[in-house]
């Protein structure tokens, strides 16, 4: 089974955005050496807890700093941008790093509602036009002229980065199936009903110029440590962070485990933490390996994308290392 990485460039407590991007770079280099399959970076705007606002630029930096791991976006929020310009950006990346680039796309705003206005010159993005944008993007990536204007995405080349449509609902999965794109289900966002979503994607998939068969993976929060007890200690900070996000609390960074353990939780908050655990796998290498394999079996996929947010950063590196050892990934 393939293991991959989704990194949101989290800003840990007491750290800066620069620290977060340096950590993302080090993590990409580290997981490249450990034998992970992909490394995707996200797009978030106007937040003090996540530093990745421009995944295409960050992907270019990471591709230049790594050797064999696939580098991609998880993802570019396409309604904010021109499909043609996105195609050009990724044709440049593909030309620089052939067969190592993934173009993950989504349609979420990437922040609070005002982000939509800031990114779209005071207007709301055309969400209804998203399916047509995907078709246009795919055509440009494959050297076509979808608007009939004698305009092509350059630089041209023999290879094209695959489009991965990201989502956490049946709507996004059916659209990926209809358009013949790959599909990534965000279990770390929605821990319920995902197996039915991926099954419908596979059932209704239509071949496209990109691919002839469906291709799906699943992303989930994972915290792995030498013991179950230490993993639970580390995961307590993610428990609190997810709770704060749900409550709309303004945060300057992700809390530490000690800060989380000092927090006084209401009964309702404890219930929410338990429900959010459906989006996470926490434990020792043996336990985490078993649960990841069970997750892959339930989804009928052969690739799981790991999203680990723990403090301090060294524990994040160690979590990915323990997973690589448990799954016997091929180190460089």
């Amino acid at each position: 089974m393939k293991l991959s990485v989704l990194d949101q460039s989290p800003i840990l407590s007491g750290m800066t955005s620069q620290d977060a991007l340096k950590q993302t770079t080090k993590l990409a280099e580290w997981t490249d050496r450990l034998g992970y399959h992909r490394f995707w970076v996200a797009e978030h705007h106007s937040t003090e807890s996540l530093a990745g606002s421009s995944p295409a630029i960050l992907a270019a930096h990471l591709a230049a700093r790594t050797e064999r791991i696939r580098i991609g976006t998880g993802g570019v929020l396409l309604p904010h941008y021109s499909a043609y310009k996105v195609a050009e950006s990724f044709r440049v990346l593909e030309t620089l790093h052939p067969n190592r680039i993934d173009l993950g796309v989504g349609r979420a705003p990437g922040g609070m509602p005002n982000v939509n206005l800031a990114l779209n010159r005071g207007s709301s993005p055309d969400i209804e036009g998203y399916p047509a944008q995907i078709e246009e993007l795919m055509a440009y990536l494959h050297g076509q002229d979808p608007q009939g204007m004698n305009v092509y995405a350059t630089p041209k080349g023999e290879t094209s980065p695959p489009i991965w449509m990201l989502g956490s609902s049946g709507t996004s999965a059916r659209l990926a199936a209809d358009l013949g794109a790959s599909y990534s289900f965000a279990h770390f966002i929605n821990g319920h009903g995902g197996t039915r979503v991926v099954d419908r994607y596979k059932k209704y998939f239509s071949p496209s110029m990109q691919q002839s068969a469906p291709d799906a993976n699943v992303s989930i929060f994972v915290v792995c440590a030498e013991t179950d007890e230490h993993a639970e200690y580390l995961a307590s900070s993610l428990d609190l962070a997810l709770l704060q996000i749900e409550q709309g609390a303004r945060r300057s960074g992700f809390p530490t485990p000690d800060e989380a353990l000092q927090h006084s939780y209401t009964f309702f908050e404890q219930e929410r933490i338990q429900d959010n655990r459906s989006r996470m796998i926490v434990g020792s290498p043996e336990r985490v390996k078993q649960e990841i394999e069970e997750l892959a079996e339930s989804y009928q996929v052969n690739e799981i994308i790991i999203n680990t947010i723990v403090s301090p950063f060294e524990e994040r590196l160690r979590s990915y290392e323990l997973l690589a050892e448990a799954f016997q990934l091929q180190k460089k």
Side-chain angles (χ1 to χ4, degrees):
M1 186 170 62
K2 298 173 183 175
L3 291 186
S4 297
V5 181
L6 170 63
D7 192 68
Q8 297 174 291
S9 301
I11 303 172
L12 304 180
S13 180
M15 298 291 179
T16 66
S17 296
Q18 187 177 48
D19 293 326
L21 293 179
K22 287 181 177 179
Q23 289 168 356
T24 291
T25 303
K26 186 172 182 178
L27 183 61
E29 295 169 339
W30 181 237
T31 51
D32 183 28
R33 291 195 294 270
L34 290 174
Y36 281 80
H37 182 56
R38 308 180 201 274
F39 193 100
W40 285 357
V41 289
E43 178 175 341
H44 297 277
H45 300 284
S46 191
T47 170
E48 296 180 14
S49 58
L50 300 169
S53 59
S54 184
I57 291 177
L58 187 52
H61 169 69
L62 298 178
R65 295 289 293 265
T66 53
E67 295 183 11
R68 63 178 182 175
I69 195 169
R70 295 188 66 89
I71 300 293
T73 54
V76 171
L77 304 180
L78 192 58
H80 295 316
Y81 311 112
S82 154
Y84 177 65
K85 185 56 186 174
V86 172
E88 283 195 320
S89 296
F90 279 79
R91 286 238 48 91
V92 170
L93 283 171
E94 181 69 15
T95 303
L96 291 170
H97 309 281
N99 293 313
R100 284 190 58 213
I101 302 299
D102 296 323
L103 172 49
V105 298
R107 61 179 177 182
M112 299 301 288
N114 283 347
V115 164
N116 280 329
L117 302 179
L119 286 170
N120 292 274
R121 299 183 180 182
S123 301
S124 296
D126 179 17
I127 301 298
E128 296 300 319
Y130 182 62
Q133 267 196 304
I134 298 292
E135 290 184 290
E136 185 179 5
L137 177 62
M138 190 179 294
Y140 277 129
L141 287 171
H142 287 81
Q144 297 186 359
D145 175 21
Q147 297 295 339
M149 298 187 297
N150 196 29
V151 171
Y152 301 89
T154 54
K156 294 183 178 181
E158 296 181 357
T159 61
S160 299
I163 294 175
W164 283 82
M165 295 186 66
L166 317 180
S168 57
S169 70
T171 301
S172 56
R174 185 57 190 266
L175 181 57
D178 290 343
L179 299 179
S182 297
Y183 182 66
S184 183
F185 183 79
H187 190 102
F188 75 100
I189 294 176
N190 178 11
H192 304 287
T195 55
R196 294 191 300 273
V197 169
V198 172
D199 182 64
R200 286 197 295 270
Y201 160 72
K202 294 177 180 178
K203 180 179 179 180
Y204 292 106
F205 180 86
S206 297
S208 67
M209 68 182 76
Q210 173 173 296
Q211 62 198 71
S212 60
D215 190 10
N217 60 35
V218 176
S219 53
I220 186 169
F221 285 121
V222 175
V223 178
C224 186
E226 280 80 358
T227 65
D228 289 339
E229 292 76 17
H230 190 52
E232 287 291 337
Y233 166 74
L234 295 174
S236 65
S237 61
L238 184 56
D239 288 332
L240 177 57
L242 294 178
L243 186 64
Q244 291 173 332
I245 291 171
E246 291 180 346
Q247 294 172 340
R250 189 168 182 83
R251 302 174 299 125
S252 59
F254 280 82
T256 66
D258 288 342
E259 290 170 342
L261 293 176
Q262 292 170 7
H263 186 84
S264 179
Y265 296 95
T266 66
F267 175 78
F268 175 77
E269 289 174 333
Q270 291 173 343
E271 290 289 308
R272 288 303 309 146
I273 287 174
Q274 285 303 116
D275 186 64
N276 281 333
R277 280 301 182 100
S278 67
R279 302 153 59 186
M280 302 165 60
I281 293 177
V282 178
S284 64
E286 297 77 13
R287 176 179 176 180
V288 168
K289 181 176 186 290
Q290 179 181 342
E291 293 190 24
I292 287 176
E293 290 174 337
E294 290 172 353
L295 182 74
E297 177 65 24
S298 68
Y299 274 95
Q300 288 295 289
V301 298
N302 65 358
E303 180 184 3
I304 299 296
I305 301 182
I306 308 302
N307 184 355
T308 299
I309 303 177
V310 295
S311 180
F313 174 64
E314 290 71 23
E315 294 282 10
R316 191 147 121 238
L317 296 176
R318 182 59 175 154
S319 181
Y320 282 105
E321 182 179 32
L322 290 171
L323 276 179
E325 293 172 353
F327 280 90
Q328 297 182 321
L329 299 186
Q330 189 65 41
K331 292 185 179 181
K332 188 173 69 178

